[in-house]
Amino acid sequence: MGKIRILVVDDSVVVRRMVSDVLSSDPHMEVAGVAANGRIALAKIEQSNPDIATLDLEMPDMHGLEVLREIRRRRPDLPVIIFSTLSERGAAITLEALALGANDYVTKPANVGGVVQAIECLKTELIPRIRALCQPHRAAVLPVEPSPSGRMAAPRPVFFEGKPKAVVIGVSTGGPGALTQVLPQLEETLPVPILIVQHMPELFTRFLSERLNHICRMNVHEALDGMIAESGNIFIAPGGWHMLINWEPPHFVLRINREAPRNSCRPSVDLLFESAAEAYGSGLLGVVLTGMGYDGLKGAEKIREKGGYILTQDRESSVVWGMPGVVTEAGLANKVVPLDQVATEIKRLVTMGFRSPMPVGTP
């Protein structure tokens, strides 16, 4: 396989140079071209035929959203990563870009201490996303810590037959689009709360929650510490904060904290899933959707150990089959479905209930 060829689109010469230097430092990547505005970018796409593009949104002459619409018309399969500012406006238009078909986004380094730190931040955030999006049907994961035997420990499910009391969802790369497809199909009468970790920075989750609240029949909230997890509501972990759920009689209560990242993520899917498994026991439905990395693997193990049920998105419909891939390949998924069947399965399992498998050796 040849090098991944990237088109860098940004009106700032400093940013173009910095991004180009970061990408060129990777032996598997090369800069196919740079563009200072949208019109040049569209011409460069035709001339250089890149594998992927990074796209600034705030540009003169032709706004990034206009460029994205035109890219989607001309090259619908070209992966596009939005390069946005960490601001309210940046968050709002990035969410709009994701709704228009951008594949992922990276926020421009800010307040990181200097040029060296900014470069390291870009290497950490941008390069793995490019690799993942240019190999969309491979599990883009980091090494998983093995069990002492050298193999992943098999779950020991507890027998359970009944209806779930809550649904927890973990999602990352491609998540806003996936959630936009799944959540509006759920009725406000759904008799469970839905708790979601979407890997996003601060500000972004607020705009995501507001956008989803406009199109969903269930009420969608960015979670606050102390909220009661009431049925018929969707709660999204705020960017930069972990979200957990505790049983604090007589209610299930959301708790928000800024403890250290887990799996380099805050919020962490693992922490939500593990706390929910402790709170709800076997009456828990876990859903793992498209995303890069392996956050959610340990949490899915905990849900299965408690007797809960795990639903994962399939390889073909995932933007990146990382998070759902590792859970599926570890043997933790009770069922694997394409994205367009996820809402139907959630409704079926909540309405009809599920039966978890008996432990191995049970007569």
Side-chain angles (χ1 to χ4, degrees):
M1 181 178 174
K3 291 186 177 184
I4 299 171
R5 305 179 71 252
I6 306 111
L7 175 66
V8 178
V9 184
D10 200 292
D11 67 327
S12 166
V13 64
V14 174
V15 172
R16 291 198 305 274
R17 171 54 58 191
M18 183 181 295
V19 173
S20 296
D21 288 347
V22 166
L23 298 178
S24 298
S25 71
D26 188 291
H28 303 292
M29 298 182 185
E30 66 179 10
V31 177
V34 297
N37 63 50
R39 300 191 189 283
I40 296 173
L42 293 173
K44 286 285 182 77
I45 287 173
E46 299 299 325
Q47 295 166 6
S48 60
N49 192 30
D51 298 308
I52 190 169
T54 66
L55 177 63
D56 184 24
L57 290 177
E58 299 283 5
M59 296 186 295
D61 186 33
M62 189 176 187
H63 193 274
L65 293 177
E66 296 178 72
V67 179
L68 179 61
R69 288 189 186 96
E70 190 61 23
I71 290 174
R72 282 292 161 259
R73 188 183 70 81
R74 300 184 188 184
R75 290 280 306 276
D77 295 330
L78 179 68
V80 176
I81 296 177
I82 299 302
F83 203 43
S84 63
T85 56
L86 187 56
S87 65
E88 290 210 1
R89 175 166 172 77
I93 59 175
T94 298
L95 264 294
E96 190 171 348
L98 292 170
L100 289 172
N103 299 82
D104 203 355
Y105 66 94
V106 171
T107 55
K108 294 182 178 181
N111 303 318
V112 293
V115 174
V116 173
Q117 291 84 354
I119 289 172
E120 287 305 310
C121 183
L122 277 179
K123 286 182 179 179
T124 301
E125 295 295 322
L126 186 56
I127 287 178
R129 284 171 165 78
I130 290 173
R131 287 176 180 160
L133 289 170
C134 289
Q135 304 174 70
H137 293 142
R138 295 178 59 184
V141 301
L142 299 174
V144 178
E145 183 179 344
S147 63
S149 66
R151 295 180 301 172
M152 187 173 297
R156 295 171 300 195
V158 178
F159 175 68
F160 173 78
E161 187 166 10
K163 297 178 181 179
K165 303 170 187 174
V167 177
V168 288
I169 298 176
V171 62
S172 185
T173 311
L179 295 174
T180 298
Q181 182 170 341
V182 172
L183 298 181
Q185 297 182 55
L186 304 176
E187 291 81 7
E188 69 274 16
T189 54
L190 201 72
V192 295
I194 297 179
L195 315 176
I196 299 173
V197 163
Q198 158 72 65
H199 293 156
M200 273 188 158
E202 295 181 66
L203 296 178
F204 284 67
T205 48
R206 191 184 91 207
F207 285 99
L208 176 64
S209 301
E210 291 173 356
R211 178 180 288 269
L212 289 171
N213 195 48
H214 284 302
I215 62 174
C216 290
R217 285 172 282 185
M218 299 178 73
N219 291 320
V220 182
H221 316 268
E222 185 182 43
L224 297 172
D225 189 64
M227 276 185 165
I228 297 171
E230 296 179 326
S231 296
N233 287 267
I234 298 169
F235 302 90
I236 296 178
W241 296 75
H242 292 306
M243 180 173 74
L244 295 83
I245 181 78
N246 295 331
W247 170 240
E248 300 177 18
H251 301 295
F252 291 97
V253 179
L254 296 173
R255 291 300 174 193
I256 308 299
N257 69 61
R258 298 204 75 163
E259 292 178 4
R262 176 104 168 255
N263 308 316
S264 302
C265 301
R266 190 173 62 203
S268 163
V269 177
D270 273 343
L271 287 177
L272 171 62
F273 279 21
E274 289 168 359
S275 68
E278 292 295 336
Y280 291 103
S282 54
L284 183 64
L285 169 58
V287 182
V288 185
L289 302 178
T290 176
M292 183 176 66
Y294 60 91
D295 190 26
L297 176 62
K298 296 297 184 184
E301 285 182 342
K302 179 63 70 175
I303 291 174
R304 287 296 304 274
E305 286 172 5
K306 291 289 186 178
Y309 191 101
I310 297 292
L311 182 70
T312 60
Q313 184 177 348
D314 72 357
R315 182 191 298 263
E316 289 71 26
S317 68
S318 295
V319 174
V320 178
W321 204 57
M323 287 164 50
V326 292
V327 171
T328 302
E329 292 177 347
L332 297 168
N334 294 88
K335 191 166 185 179
V336 183
V337 297
L339 183 64
D340 62 7
Q341 294 180 25
V342 169
T344 299
E345 278 300 305
I346 290 174
K347 290 186 285 188
R348 183 183 69 80
L349 291 163
V350 169
T351 303
M352 306 297 293
F354 60 81
R355 185 177 187 275
S356 71
M358 293 292 286
V360 175
T362 300

